[in-house]
Amino acid sequence: MRTALLQTVIFCRRSFKMNLKVIVPVVVSVLCVTVALMAVLIPRTGEFRSMFMEKCKRFPENSTRCKELLDIFEKTYVGKSPYYFPETEYEPAFVAAPFTHPGEKTLLWSDKGGIWANKFSKNRDCLVTLGDTLLGSLVDEETWCGLKGLKGTYTPFCQWCSNNTVDSFWTIASIKFARHAKGVVTAMLDGDLREPFDLNSFFGLETKQLFYPRVTTLDIILVTDKKGVCEKATALGELEESLGQRNVSYSCKELPSSHIQTCIDNNVCETCWSNLTSYAPRRK
């Protein structure tokens, strides 16, 4: 019996050591996940508010309204689920801070065309991108959301699912920005891509808001050293056809980035490409 008991003790010790090798990594993993979740669930309210207020003060005409705008913006998402977030929640924010720039100065962009669009519009009384507007500037390159039933602004997990607080904002902002456009509207696209834009992108959504007579022409500026992109790109052909159905004229010009940089350096605005030949429309 003593022998059997001794064998049992030895077996239990060995089992414990073996189980320990399995248990310790599992416990460590659980602890790591718990710590990570705790870090994710820590609100970043103070950081978000500081960023919002700092950016808002760059607009002197609105500097006295920054706290009011922050309160209105926070009410749209705080305490609500970040996913399947209705775009209409942002209506109060756009009522409080509507677009005020001349519609004729609207500058749209897609993909890497945004790099040159932002350079072209930055700190100049020229064309205006969505990121140059008050609301667009306040949350550009930022992440924010709430959690259902909780106070505060969170950031790490806000875009894990589609139709989140961030995507919904840029969707409604893009629609409203495009609808504010008037006359001849300019768009900068990356002509070095196989297709300069995706029809399902924010730019694709913006182009669907352009209607005659408010908008007469969409002037596409392809940033590229290549030739013939205007004629070959399938997406541009589809865009031209779609605009034609709404009686909006279409033009497409190819411009090397060096030319655009020269225009920026010399403070040249729309005349940067006004003398360039537009490719003949493909529509019959």
Side-chain angles (χ1 to χ4, degrees):
M1 186 173 177
R2 291 177 61 185
T3 303
L5 182 60
L6 183 60
Q7 288 176 342
T8 301
V9 171
I10 293 172
F11 174 77
C12 289
R13 285 180 177 177
R14 288 176 179 174
S15 297
F16 179 75
K17 289 180 180 179
M18 290 176 65
N19 289 336
L20 203 59
K21 292 180 180 179
V22 176
I23 292 171
V24 171
V26 172
V27 171
V28 172
S29 297
V30 170
L31 286 173
C32 288
V33 170
T34 302
V35 171
L37 285 174
M38 289 177 64
V40 164
L41 294 176
I42 294 175
R44 303 292 196 275
T45 309
E47 297 172 24
F48 183 82
R49 287 176 175 175
S50 296
M51 172 280 302
F52 193 101
M53 296 294 286
E54 181 182 346
K55 287 184 175 181
C56 185
K57 290 176 182 178
R58 298 173 189 172
F59 293 79
E61 67 277 16
N62 289 285
S63 58
T64 59
R65 301 178 58 231
C66 290
K67 182 61 170 62
E68 173 195 352
L69 293 175
L70 174 61
D71 291 342
I72 292 172
F73 193 80
E74 285 186 325
K75 285 179 182 178
T76 64
Y77 66 86
V78 170
K80 303 173 185 177
S81 171
Y83 308 129
Y84 303 104
F85 192 84
E87 299 153 12
T88 52
E89 292 285 352
Y90 289 108
E91 286 292 347
F94 283 99
V95 171
F99 297 122
T100 57
H101 63 280
E104 298 86 350
K105 290 184 176 292
T106 299
L107 176 57
L108 308 178
W109 57 267
S110 185
D111 213 279
K112 293 182 180 179
I115 297 174
W116 286 104
N118 291 325
K119 284 184 178 181
F120 198 83
S121 66
K122 187 176 181 180
N123 299 325
R124 302 206 301 154
D125 184 21
C126 187
L127 300 179
V128 179
T129 66
L130 178 53
D132 295 322
T133 65
L134 178 57
L135 274 184
S137 174
L138 291 177
V139 295
D140 190 24
E141 298 184 356
E142 304 295 340
T143 303
W144 68 92
C145 66
L147 276 179
K148 192 171 183 178
L150 297 179
K151 295 181 180 180
T153 296
Y154 300 82
T155 57
F157 52 83
C158 299
Q159 293 179 279
W160 286 358
C161 295
S162 58
N163 300 326
N164 54 69
T165 47
V166 179
D167 290 346
S168 291
F169 171 82
W170 289 114
T171 295
I172 191 64
S174 296
I175 290 173
K176 289 181 176 294
F177 184 68
R179 289 179 179 175
H180 183 77
K182 186 178 180 180
V184 178
V185 179
T186 307
M188 278 193 182
L189 307 179
D190 185 354
D192 290 334
L193 297 177
R194 185 173 180 273
E195 288 294 341
F197 76 97
D198 184 340
L199 290 169
N200 296 317
S201 65
F202 286 123
F203 173 72
L205 179 63
E206 289 168 338
T207 62
K208 295 173 184 176
Q209 315 307 314
L210 308 179
F211 288 87
Y212 182 87
R214 181 171 179 84
V215 173
T216 58
T217 304
L218 177 60
D219 196 2
I220 300 291
I221 305 300
L222 284 183
V223 184
T224 180
D225 292 325
K226 300 177 182 178
K227 298 295 182 183
V229 182
C230 284
E231 296 173 310
K232 297 175 183 177
T234 301
L236 292 177
E238 294 175 354
L239 173 59
E240 181 186 357
E241 183 177 355
S242 175
L243 291 170
Q245 294 171 355
R246 286 171 268 148
N247 295 318
V248 176
S249 299
Y250 164 92
S251 71
C252 183
K253 301 168 183 175
E254 294 158 357
L255 209 63
S257 57
S258 57
H259 184 104
I260 295 178
Q261 186 61 56
T262 299
C263 292
I264 295 172
D265 295 339
N266 295 315
N267 201 28
V268 176
C269 197
E270 292 100 324
T271 55
C272 182
W273 49 76
S274 60
N275 295 326
L276 295 178
T277 302
S278 176
Y279 280 78
R282 286 184 270 192
R283 286 187 295 113
K284 296 181 180 179

